[in-house]
Amino acid sequence: MRIEADRGRCDGLGMCEAMAPDFFEVGDDGTVVVLDEQPGEEHRADVTAAVDACPVLALKLT
C-alpha cells in the first residue's frame, strides 16, 4: 500500500493528521505532509480512515 497526496488540492484542514498522526501532518505551508508513504498492512485500517476523512479528496491509497 502506498499513500499519495495531492498537495495542490489540500486545504490543510488536518482531518488526516487527527485520524492517523503517525502518518500525516499539516506542514508549515498549510498542506499535508505524508510521514510514511508506505505503511505496513497492519496500519491499513487507520490509514484508510484518514484517507476517507479528507473532505477535499486530496489523499488516496494505491
Side-chain angles (χ1 to χ4, degrees):
M1 149 176 75
R2 179 175 166 80
I3 301 169
E4 294 183 14
D6 182 345
R7 293 173 51 94
R9 179 173 264 196
C10 179
D11 283 342
L13 300 172
M15 296 300 295
C16 56
E17 184 176 15
M19 299 291 291
D22 292 337
F23 301 97
F24 303 97
E25 72 178 23
V26 176
D28 292 338
D29 66 352
T31 60
V32 65
V33 175
V34 178
L35 302 175
D36 182 355
E37 292 181 353
Q38 295 184 332
E41 279 298 315
E42 67 273 16
H43 301 291
R44 182 175 287 276
D46 291 335
V47 172
T48 299
V51 168
D52 290 347
C54 181
V56 296
L57 306 176
L59 301 170
K60 71 177 181 177
L61 294 178
T62 58

